[in-house]
Amino acid sequence: MVKIGLADNHPVVHYGIKAYFKEHSDITLVGIVDNFDMVEEMLKRKELDVLVMDLELNGLTSINAIKTLLQNHPKLKIILFSSLNEQVYAPNAIKAGVSSFVEKTEKLESLASTIIKVNRGAVIFSEAVKRNMALISKQSKSERLYRKLSSREIEVLRYLSNGKKNKEVAEALNLNEKTISTYKLRLLAKLNVTNLVDLVNKAKTLEIV
């Protein structure tokens, strides 16, 4: 029996996952949390094989946090279960050691199948992601820069590219305006540009947003 935990913000997802796996023959749900800060506590209390985690989980600020979690729990497998675009976020997730990325538009049967395969050691991503990773490996250093961006930085960049001001981005993400300014400075440095216009143009050229 594969023991799984769920880390997701939304009660309706909790209910759906719990109901689906309640009488599953191969998978049992042993824990649910709604904040990344609670994941470590769950891992101390429960023995998990696979963690199903929303990439937009409260308290999760970057892919690096997931990488650290996996380093601390080397036997744990993580599946990202998200409404975000796999092709944008999966490359960084692969680098962090995540075993799979399942979009929330998929049927729960697909999630169950992925859980079983991942528990056996498989790493599963879509063919589109695999093709993109192959193309990225052939790109120049400057074109690969955006792969260094965290999920939060990409999120901030998306808002900026849509014309949002720092204050509006801060309100949308429930962050301090000063924090958004810091993210903007990091983005300018990582994408090697000096102003917002060039930042947005480069993001669009590299198809980050």
Side-chain angles (χ1 to χ4, degrees), residues 139-140 142-143 146 157 161 191 193 197-209:
Q139 291 175 343
S140 68
S142 63
E143 289 174 318
Y146 83 95
L157 183 53
S161 297
L191 292 183
V193 292
V197 173
D198 288 345
L199 177 67
V200 171
N201 287 338
K202 190 159 189 177
K204 291 179 178 178
T205 298
L206 297 177
E207 298 182 351
I208 303 174
V209 295

Side-chain angles (χ1 to χ4, degrees), residues 39-107:
V39 170
E40 192 68 51
E41 183 63 29
M42 178 171 64
L43 291 172
K44 290 178 182 178
R45 292 185 289 103
K46 307 286 186 178
E47 183 180 336
L48 297 186
D49 299 307
V50 179
L51 175 64
V52 179
M53 180 188 293
D54 188 348
L55 192 54
E56 296 180 289
L57 181 68
N58 291 329
L60 178 60
T61 57
S62 75
I63 290 290
N64 284 335
I66 297 176
K67 182 177 181 179
T68 300
L69 184 67
L70 286 168
Q71 289 172 340
N72 292 338
H73 301 275
K75 293 183 179 180
L76 180 69
K77 305 292 194 304
I78 291 181
I79 295 172
L80 293 181
F81 187 51
S82 179
S83 58
L84 296 175
N85 188 291
E86 181 191 23
Q87 293 189 49
V88 173
Y89 292 91
N92 279 337
I94 292 171
K95 292 177 184 178
V98 169
S99 295
S100 188
F101 192 114
V102 177
E103 294 191 11
K104 286 186 175 179
T105 53
E106 293 287 334
K107 293 182 179 179

Side-chain angles (χ1 to χ4, degrees), residues 133-150:
M133 290 294 286
L135 289 172
I136 290 167
S137 67
K138 298 176 183 178
Q139 291 175 343
S140 68
K141 183 178 179 180
S142 63
E143 289 174 318
R144 294 197 301 269
L145 279 173
Y146 83 95
R147 296 301 174 187
K148 297 180 180 179
L149 303 185
S150 70

Side-chain angles (χ1 to χ4, degrees), residues 166-181:
N166 285 14
K167 184 177 181 180
E168 294 174 311
V169 179
E171 290 174 351
L173 299 178
N174 196 27
L175 295 172
N176 187 283
E177 189 174 346
K178 187 176 180 180
T179 301
I180 301 303
S181 296

Side-chain angles (χ1 to χ4, degrees), residues 2-13:
V2 184
K3 297 177 182 178
I4 70 168
L6 174 66
D8 190 282
N9 298 339
H10 307 292
V12 67
V13 175

